[in-house]
Amino acid sequence: MLQGSITALITPFTADGAIDAKAFQDFVAWQIAEGTDGVVPVGTTGESPTLSHDEHKRVVELCIEVAKGKVPVIAGSGANSTHETIDLTRHAQEAGADAALLVVPYYNKPTQEGLYQHFKAVHDATDIPLVLYNIPGRSVVDMSVETMKRLADLPRIVGVKDATADLARPLRTRVVIGTEFIQLSGEDATVTAFLAQGGHGCISVTSNIAPRLCGDLHDAWAAGDYAKAFEIRDRLMAVHDAMFCETSPAPVKYAASLLGKCTDYVRLPMLPATEGARAKVREAMEQAGLL
């Protein structure tokens, strides 16, 4: 099962904006050594909107080269074009990813029936497990639990990354769809509450820079050591806030640069974190013992 602390990987760039393959593969190896339970290349945190299709596919391949057989690789392959989503998902399957993460189509605002037909078309054109990604804040459309239930009846749609920040949603989903449907939070700050409502894990931004602590939190929860889980939750709260004090991934890339993992370069239209954001990130990391 896909569960626990799963990192929504950043994509390191060189100073001139090219993908830094070595830094990326070293970063994936570090994540695994630190106890991360799974990795997601080329999601929004990986700046997928600014990568070419060839770059996107290369990052997936670089990740699989390091992680395959050690932790699950859930390749980001969603787009607001069904044809493009099928192409990227087929590539993820052929490259050896364990699953694909499919975002709700953004900007074009499909109906609930349009969502169903989009994801069903991807399902029918591929043979890889699929995780839906519901993030109304970026895609505008909110996939209903009823639509998700219809999709969950398809054999290879196995779960959802829920970034609604609605803590009633995982319980409603659990009741309607059942406990086998994998629910992964997309909101670091509410992860323990999400787990308590029936969730199985988190696709995390914070775990880019705190993989050990994030992994320990999920391990503690699974072991029933709630006191330890809550201690880590509280310790990381300021870090979660700092990671989103400006549009992600600028703050988390700056944080990773402080750890010597990569440069803080982000591609336009994103900009590097401002001085104010950098101060917040550094202070939060120091308070959490990450620096």
Side-chain angles (χ1 to χ4, degrees), residues 24-242:
F24 179 68
Q25 290 197 311
D26 287 349
F27 187 74
V28 174
W30 177 67
Q31 286 283 321
I32 295 168
E34 287 290 295
T36 288
D37 296 306
V39 288
V40 178
V42 287
T44 308
T45 308
E47 298 178 73
S48 58
T50 68
L51 300 183
S52 70
H53 286 187
D54 287 344
E55 288 176 323
H56 182 118
K57 293 174 181 179
R58 182 58 179 149
V59 171
V60 171
E61 292 164 1
L62 289 168
C63 184
I64 290 169
E65 285 176 12
V66 176
K68 186 66 174 177
K70 299 172 184 173
V71 299
V73 176
I74 311 170
S77 62
N80 63 345
S81 157
T82 304
H83 176 80
E84 182 179 342
T85 303
I86 290 171
D87 175 63
L88 293 173
T89 305
R90 281 176 172 164
H91 171 266
Q93 174 184 316
E94 292 163 3
D98 298 283
L101 181 66
L102 308 181
V103 70
V104 165
Y106 40 86
Y107 191 78
N108 44 16
K109 298 175 67 175
T111 63
Q112 294 297 310
E113 183 62 25
L115 292 178
Y116 176 79
Q117 295 298 337
H118 168 78
F119 291 116
K120 183 177 185 298
V122 180
H123 173 276
D124 292 349
T126 61
D127 292 311
I128 190 173
L130 305 175
V131 178
L132 309 173
Y133 181 12
N134 193 28
I135 181 166
R138 286 188 183 263
S139 63
V140 181
V141 176
D142 182 2
M143 187 190 309
S144 69
V145 174
E146 291 72 26
T147 299
M148 208 172 296
K149 171 64 170 68
R150 291 177 67 196
L151 289 165
D153 287 339
L154 301 174
R156 284 177 296 93
I157 293 185
V158 299
V160 63
K161 176 184 177 182
D162 185 317
T164 63
D166 175 2
L167 289 173
R169 181 66 67 92
L171 182 55
R172 290 195 184 101
T173 302
R174 178 187 176 93
V175 169
V176 171
I177 302 179
T179 60
E180 295 303 309
F181 188 68
I182 300 165
Q183 296 196 69
L184 303 170
S185 173
E187 299 284 343
D188 278 300
T190 58
V191 64
T192 53
F194 189 91
L195 293 171
Q197 290 284 79
H200 300 90
C202 180
I203 296 179
S204 169
V205 172
T206 297
S207 62
N208 276 282
I209 59 165
R212 177 68 63 186
L213 281 174
C214 290
D216 286 350
L217 184 152
H218 285 272
D219 290 345
W221 183 273
D225 188 350
Y226 303 125
K228 181 176 180 180
F230 296 156
E231 184 276 326
I232 298 172
R233 174 200 63 188
D234 295 354
R235 180 176 170 185
L236 287 176
M237 187 63 223
V239 179
H240 300 327
D241 285 342

